[in-house]
Structures are given as structure tokens and as C-alpha cells.
Amino acid sequence: AQSVTQPDIHITVSEGASLELRCNYSYGATPYLFWYVQSPGQGLQLLLKYFSGDTLVQGIKGFEAEFKRSQSSFNLRKPSVHWSDAAEYFCAVGYSSASKIIFGSGTRLSIRP
Amino acid sequence: AAGVIQSPRHLIKEKRETATLKCYPIPRHDTVYWYQQGPGQDPQFLISFYEKMQSDKGSIPDRFSAQQFSDYHSELNMSSLELGDSALYFCASSNTGFGGYTFGSGTRLTVV
């Protein structure tokens, strides 16, 4: 069965600092991987997705993620965070491009002024 | 670009009442999914439909039912509401050919 682990419940970084949010997945075949961001009480916005091809994926808002099969990881990165990046970030996995997706428990990002 | 439309945005119901949530997928998307997100929780998959047939089922209570209509919109019917049903309910749609997967803004259901 698919599963997603986000080991960090809450992370605080200073504005302008770099960011890396960790995500590990469990799935036997090549997974379909997603990162979503959610502001309080709001919907889920897709930051980026990986289906195949280049393992370094560029997303919106300056985010990128790297698929590492050997580590079963799909970590999200941003070189310089902005106060507006404060939100909940969810990693998710699916077994096809149109299957249900399983979410991790989320990482709450706070930004220190 | 057209997005996934959910209605209503907010809904307040009393215990034991019934609620109906609606979802209008992106045009040409053939699959609809429903998710439930409780306070401080990650979204949990409830059910999905492909070409108007149920394609997958998750942790959906027996009190809930859903269907997809000929125009591809979907409705989630929730009966005998309980306080624990208070949550954000998201609909998403995708096209099996293109692999897009887009969420709506959600319906916030509050049961009092």
C-alpha cells in the first residue's frame, strides 16, 4: 500500500533563508508525487508534481523538488523564503496520473521576520 | 482557465440533518474524487468516479453516498449528520489522458 511520511510537523525558518521540507514515500512501482500548499481554511494549491522524466521538478512560487528513487524521497526546496510562504505543506503520492492520492500528515511552515 | 467548482462554500447543519455537496469538474475531466479534511488533519480520500461509475472507495461512512451525473458533476450526500462530520470537503477532478489533478476550493461543513 502507498504511504507518505512527512517527518517534520512544524518548521520555522527566517525570511530569506533556504527551505527544505522532507517527504518519504512507500510504493513498489514508480510513484506519482505531488506537493500541495494550504493556507488556513483555504483550499489545496498544487505546487508541483512528478510523473516521470527529469527528477528535478520546478514548480510555482519558486519551489522545486527532487525525486530520489534510491532514498524514496521527494523533498521540497526553496532557496529564499518569503513571509507569504507560511502555510501547511502536504506531500502526496498516487499510483497513476488519475488515481486517488494519499497525503502525508503535513508540515506547518512558519516564517521568522 | 476553468477550475473545479464546489458549492456551497459554507454549510451549517444540525445533528441528524442531511447535507448535499456539489462538485463541477473541469471540462473534459472524466474522473471526480471526494476528500474529507478534519481540523488539523490531512485530507482523506472518500470516493471517486470515472465516467459516472464508482472507481474507488476509501474511508467513506455508510451514511454518505455519492454519484456522478451525465454532465459529469458529482454530489456527495451526507445523512444523519454527526458533530464529527464537521470538516472541509474537497472535490478534485482529473483526466486520465492528460494526468491533470485539480482540487476545488472546498466546502466547509459545520455540524452543530
Side-chain angles (χ1 to χ4, degrees):
Chain A
Q2 312 151 355
S3 67
V4 180
T5 301
Q6 293 180 250
D8 304 306
I9 296 174
H10 184 203
I11 285 181
T12 301
V13 299
S14 298
E15 190 169 15
S18 63
L19 170 70
E20 182 167 26
L21 301 182
R22 296 183 292 166
C23 172
N24 293 97
Y25 67 89
S26 174
Y27 182 61
T30 299
Y32 290 75
L33 295 161
F34 309 82
W35 273 100
Y36 286 88
V37 61
Q38 185 179 36
S39 297
Q42 301 300 309
L44 294 158
Q45 183 180 24
L46 179 67
L47 288 175
L48 46 79
K49 62 188 177 189
Y50 172 78
F51 287 176
S52 64
D54 193 346
T55 56
L56 184 62
V57 182
Q58 300 297 320
I60 62 171
K61 303 185 178 186
F63 286 93
E64 68 176 26
E66 186 171 11
F67 170 58
K68 292 187 177 180
R69 184 188 299 275
S70 62
Q71 299 177 19
S72 298
S73 69
F74 189 57
N75 294 349
L76 182 72
R77 300 194 294 251
K78 186 170 184 178
S80 176
V81 298
H82 186 261
W83 65 267
S84 60
D85 293 324
E88 188 87 18
Y89 290 79
F90 291 98
C91 182
V93 64
Y95 59 82
S96 75
S97 61
S99 70
K100 67 183 180 186
I101 60 176
I102 306 299
F103 287 85
S105 53
T107 296
R108 183 161 60 95
L109 175 64
S110 297
I111 306 297
R112 190 184 302 117
Chain B
V4 177
I5 306 298
Q6 290 188 246
S7 67
R9 291 296 305 274
H10 302 274
L11 188 60
I12 299 175
K13 291 285 186 178
E14 295 188 353
K15 285 192 303 183
R16 293 180 289 278
E17 285 193 316
T18 297
T20 297
L21 310 184
K22 297 185 179 182
C23 170
Y24 297 86
I26 291 174
R28 294 186 299 282
H29 277 196
D30 50 23
T31 308
V32 169
Y33 314 78
W34 286 97
Y35 290 80
Q36 177 192 56
Q37 185 180 29
Q41 304 296 313
D42 56 285
Q44 296 290 317
F45 171 72
L46 293 177
I47 196 166
S48 62
F49 292 87
Y50 169 70
E51 288 290 346
K52 293 154 281 185
M53 299 290 289
Q54 182 181 308
S55 56
D56 201 354
K57 191 173 181 180
S59 50
I60 182 169
D62 292 341
R63 299 178 289 107
F64 294 7
S65 65
Q67 58 181 322
Q68 187 178 30
F69 295 85
S70 58
D71 64 351
Y72 290 91
H73 95 273
S74 178
E75 295 184 2
L76 178 66
N77 298 293
M78 310 158 68
S79 62
S80 302
L81 288 169
E82 302 173 357
L83 295 178
D85 296 328
S86 296
L88 263 173
Y89 290 83
F90 289 106
C91 172
S93 72
S94 73
N95 182 295
T96 52
F98 301 118
Y101 201 108
T102 304
F103 280 86
S105 299
T107 293
R108 179 173 294 283
L109 172 66
T110 302
V111 181
V112 297

